[in-house]
Amino acid sequence: MITKKQLPNFFVVGVVKGGTTSLYHYLSQHPDVFLPPIKETNHFAAADISEQDFLKGYARDVNIDLDKYIKSGMKETIHIAHVNEDHHYESLFSKVKNERAIGEISNSYMVCPSSAKAIHDFNPQARILVILRNPIRRAWSQFLMNLREAKSDADNFIQELEDDHIQIPKGWGVNHQYLELGKYSEQLKRYFDLFGKDRVMPILFEDYKEDPEEILASICRFLEIDDTFKFDFSEKSNASALPRNVGLNRFLVNSGIISIAKKLAPKPLRQKLAGALYSNKNMPKLQEAHAEWLRNYYQAEVVLLSQLLEKDITRKWPEFRQPNEE
């Protein structure tokens, strides 16, 4: 039987393309931390998620037989699933031993409005971490990811954003939400209002990327665990890359072969396959005109976020600096 002490006391709530995959990898190394074998469970976002409207590719990604996975011992790490039932969710924490920080990471918890209250109802004393990335760079990184995963074949980045924004229906897994995902101030305020600022730790992705050792030490202090632990940074996760052969990649993705390989192939083999199929050489660059479009779109949002955080975040997001601030 799962006890209350085995259930999460901290949550990483996002954002998409904000470094949460690497954070999952690093925090899992710490002996005082337990993270479930499914990185993103989306358990506390269920009220805002319409599974019948999922994009075909997303539905394939999250198609997991949870009963079989749990009964088999949960030996393989799964990136994402939809763990809606409480008994399935609790089973993911059945291997908790003496870890003091028991956590969960799901990016849907940032953008889905019901998640903050659902988490607060579950554990009002939980600690909340969120990594905030420059919304211009975040959207571009998500676009590149979708090209890699054959979830987009768009030639024009801004047209892709505009088409996605007007799509109906929309929502988590239903459309890409490129623009909505970068509206951080309202999303973060929900957690501040419910948990209080002392229990919420916002982190800038740019600080995390620049000095992961220091940021992880500060996370450990926030979680009240050993901050002298030495993390292994030798393995890079979720690095940007594009298909070497777009047509072949689309076939492998749409046929489900890639999805099956991710679920069944051992990690070393998956890495070899990724090296054969994808390359990070000659990656496309974000056009200045597109960056300017996004700067105009998010300018007021960044002002609101700076006010909410009570600090000027344009020091790390230079695109949003006013000319007299240079």
Side-chain angles (χ1 to χ4, degrees):
M1 180 177 179
I2 308 300
T3 67
K4 191 172 182 179
K5 289 183 178 180
Q6 289 176 274
L7 294 176
N9 53 35
F10 82 91
F11 295 84
V12 182
V13 303
V15 297
V16 174
K17 301 309 295 179
T20 58
T21 297
S22 68
L23 186 61
Y24 175 90
H25 171 72
Y26 295 139
L27 287 178
S28 295
Q29 299 174 14
H30 199 296
D32 293 335
V33 174
F34 180 90
L35 290 170
I38 297 178
K39 183 240 171 181
E40 297 185 40
T41 74
N42 299 293
H43 182 71
F44 294 100
D48 289 317
I49 291 175
S50 178
E51 296 191 10
Q52 67 269 21
D53 295 322
F54 278 169
L55 293 165
K56 185 180 294 185
Y58 186 78
R60 184 169 52 238
D61 288 346
V62 300
N63 182 25
I64 308 295
D65 184 335
L66 288 170
D67 285 319
K68 182 178 179 181
Y69 175 68
I70 292 167
K71 288 179 181 177
S72 69
M74 304 177 286
K75 296 173 184 176
E76 286 291 324
T77 299
I78 291 175
H79 182 77
I80 189 168
H82 280 262
V83 186
N84 297 327
E85 301 296 331
D86 288 348
H87 69 280
H88 284 151
Y89 184 74
E90 292 177 4
S91 293
L92 298 180
F93 299 90
S94 60
K95 296 183 180 181
V96 171
K97 296 177 181 176
N98 299 314
E99 295 88 351
R100 295 170 56 195
I102 303 164
E104 201 232 299
I105 300 175
S106 290
N107 293 327
S108 61
Y109 296 165
M110 186 70 171
V111 71
C112 291
S114 68
S115 296
K117 186 177 185 304
I119 292 172
H120 188 265
D121 289 345
F122 173 79
N123 184 355
Q125 299 304 311
R127 296 171 192 250
I128 308 297
L129 292 120
V130 54
I131 306 180
L132 304 171
R133 184 177 185 179
N134 181 324
I136 297 173
R137 302 294 160 179
R138 192 219 64 76
W140 174 245
S141 182
Q142 184 186 3
F143 176 63
L144 293 179
M145 176 184 71
N146 286 340
L147 291 178
R148 169 185 169 132
E149 297 181 355
K151 293 175 180 175
S152 173
D153 56 5
D155 295 324
N156 186 293
F157 175 46
I158 296 301
Q159 190 62 54
E160 167 86 341
L161 268 59
E162 291 179 324
D163 290 346
D164 181 76
H165 190 56
I166 63 173
Q167 179 181 317
I168 296 176
K170 61 173 59 180
W172 184 264
V174 180
N175 71 318
H176 300 305
Q177 300 188 96
Y178 293 107
L179 296 174
E180 292 89 340
L181 289 169
K183 293 290 194 75
Y184 304 140
S185 61
E186 182 180 357
Q187 299 167 12
L188 183 59
K189 188 175 183 298
R190 289 194 286 262
Y191 286 94
F192 279 171
D193 289 347
L194 284 168
F195 291 90
K197 287 190 174 183
D198 61 325
R199 303 196 79 82
V200 180
M201 182 179 181
I203 301 162
L204 294 185
F205 170 85
E206 293 73 18
D207 288 333
Y208 173 54
K209 186 176 181 180
E210 184 179 303
D211 193 351
E213 187 172 6
E214 173 53 35
I215 293 300
L216 280 161
S218 67
I219 289 173
C220 290
R221 290 190 288 272
F222 178 69
L223 298 177
E224 298 183 346
I225 58 176
D226 180 16
D227 66 348
T228 65
F229 178 79
K230 297 301 180 183
F231 293 92
D232 178 6
F233 297 108
S234 61
E235 183 178 336
K236 303 295 182 183
S237 61
N238 221 16
S240 294
L242 289 180
R244 297 179 187 273
N245 184 309
V246 173
L248 175 61
N249 183 63
R250 187 180 296 114
F251 166 75
L252 293 174
V253 170
N254 292 336
S255 65
I257 293 174
I258 289 290
S259 182
I260 293 170
K262 286 181 179 179
K263 294 172 186 176
L264 300 180
K267 189 173 181 178
L269 180 56
R270 292 199 303 268
Q271 291 174 334
K272 288 183 179 179
L273 288 172
L277 292 172
Y278 307 105
S279 172
N280 60 5
K281 294 181 179 179
N282 302 315
M283 293 290 289
K285 303 294 184 182
L286 175 63
Q287 296 178 27
E288 286 297 328
H290 293 171
E292 179 66 10
W293 190 96
L294 282 166
R295 188 195 72 79
N296 291 332
Y297 182 86
Y298 285 119
Q299 187 71 61
E301 167 63 28
V302 170
V303 171
L304 289 173
L305 184 61
S306 290
Q307 293 171 349
L308 183 65
L309 295 174
E310 299 179 339
K311 68 177 181 180
D312 179 15
I313 56 176
T314 65
R315 65 183 180 84
K316 291 293 183 179
W317 298 354
E319 292 95 331
F320 294 101
R321 290 178 190 152
Q322 297 300 322
N324 60 356
E325 294 176 334
E326 296 294 338

